[in-house]
Amino acid sequence: MIPELAAHRHVPDWQQALADAIRDPAELLRVLGLPAELPGPVREAEGLFPLLAPRGFVARMRKGDPHDPLLRQVLPLGEECRVLPGFSIDPVGDGAAQQAPGLLHKYAGRALMITTGACAVHCRYCFRRHYPYAEQGASRSRWSETLAYLADSPDTDEIILSGGDPLTLSDAKLGELVQALESVAHLQRLRIHTRLPVVLPERITQELLDILAETRLKVVIVVHANHPNEIDATVGAACAALAERHTVLNQAVLLRGVNDDARVLAELSERLFAHRVLPYYLHLLDRVQGAAHFEVPVDEARKIMRDLHARLPGYLLPRLAREVAGTAGKQLLGVTE
Ligand SMILES: *Cc1c(COP(=O)(O)O)cnc(C)c1O
Ligand code: SF4
């Protein structure tokens, strides 16, 4: 490589950190001081949905603990290969709700755009682990079709960027998208669903903050942390930087062996609040093939919520919710009966 040219091609730190993420289960186990031999089914699970975990996230895992709640979210397990009744490829009916390339318009006033298939981490329980991004994402070449649909939907006042993870887009692409969206006159709010502030906080750069500060749209950021150990000082600073100007909320998924405990969830809410993030949803698992071992039954979920209610002020309680294909919004589950 010609050194002079290399010096001009600056790769942002977050993109470098993403390129350096751990992709090999044996390496992940070695880094954590765990035995690194992998049984056949683990290799098979890895083949279905590859491991991806940024080193900064891995650094928050406890060394030598095979049951670490962060490790459990990213390590492929043989259980994922089981095909069970009731667990499907598209549990939330997204395939049927598509109105334009990568645009899901299921709920009144809000449209959701699948901007990219890329994430900075692969969560084993993800309901989009089988999503056909290549055919159904709103890739940049098709943004104009998506925008034309939005321009024709005057009752839509909120656009939700989802994925994959929209913050894996470069600042250039994201800036271009935000500009295109703000030209749709009836849009008022821009919501970004992202796990990057938690798994790759380096992503919250001044350039990104500037893009968000400059738009006329009201910005809502919904991050995704499931366990208090995910939130260290760096993550906290990234969230607080976003919260300087924007509303920042957290959604979590209730996961067996990760956060199925009111004490853990209470600590999660408190730690989020310390960095100006409020809890939004606690989702029941979407019944996606390969994630059955994470499921917490609904009666137990309600019991955990009652316990949480007894521990926390109302504003630190997430709403227990689940997605039911074909309904007008997420289903909110009552806690008291
Ligand atoms: C979850 C979701 C939304 C947002 O729902 P809120 O209850 O407003 O958070 C919008 N569109 C789709 C397709 C969704 O899955
Ligand atoms: S970051 Fe979100 S979209 Fe990506 S794998 Fe995790 S849960 Fe799924």
Side-chain angles (χ1 to χ4, degrees), residues 56-69:
F57 187 73
V58 172
R60 291 170 238 155
M61 297 175 185
R62 288 187 294 256
K63 294 261 163 28
D65 179 2
H67 304 295
D68 178 83

Side-chain angles (χ1 to χ4, degrees), residues 94 104 106-107 110 112 160 191 280-281 323 330:
D94 277 354
L104 304 175
K106 289 208 283 199
Y107 304 153
R110 295 148 287 171
L112 181 148
I160 302 171
R191 195 195 314 180
Y280 181 36
Y281 281 137
E323 195 143 350
K330 300 205 199 305

Side-chain angles (χ1 to χ4, degrees), residues 2 5 10 31 66 75 87 96 113 123 143 241 248 258 278 290 296 307:
I2 306 167
L5 277 183
H10 176 68
V31 166
L75 183 68
F87 286 79
M113 187 170 172
C123 312
W143 283 355
V248 187
V258 173
L278 288 174
V296 177
D307 193 356

Side-chain angles (χ1 to χ4, degrees), residues 166-188:
L167 292 191
T168 60
L169 295 175
S170 67
D171 286 330
K173 273 196 188 174
L174 197 69
E176 204 184 314
L177 179 58
V178 171
Q179 272 192 358
L181 289 167
E182 73 188 356
S183 73
V184 179
H186 51 263
L187 283 181
Q188 300 301 324

Side-chain angles (χ1 to χ4, degrees), residues 92 94 106-107 110 112 127-128 160 191 193 251 280-281 283 286 319-324 327-333:
V92 302
D94 277 354
K106 289 208 283 199
Y107 304 153
R110 295 148 287 171
L112 181 148
F127 75 100
R128 293 224 173 94
I160 302 171
R191 195 195 314 180
H193 281 193
Q251 52 182 348
Y280 181 36
Y281 281 137
H283 292 279
D286 290 311
R319 301 159 182 79
L320 184 63
R322 77 173 147 207
E323 195 143 350
V324 180
T327 53
K330 300 205 199 305
Q331 188 183 46
L332 294 178
L333 288 106

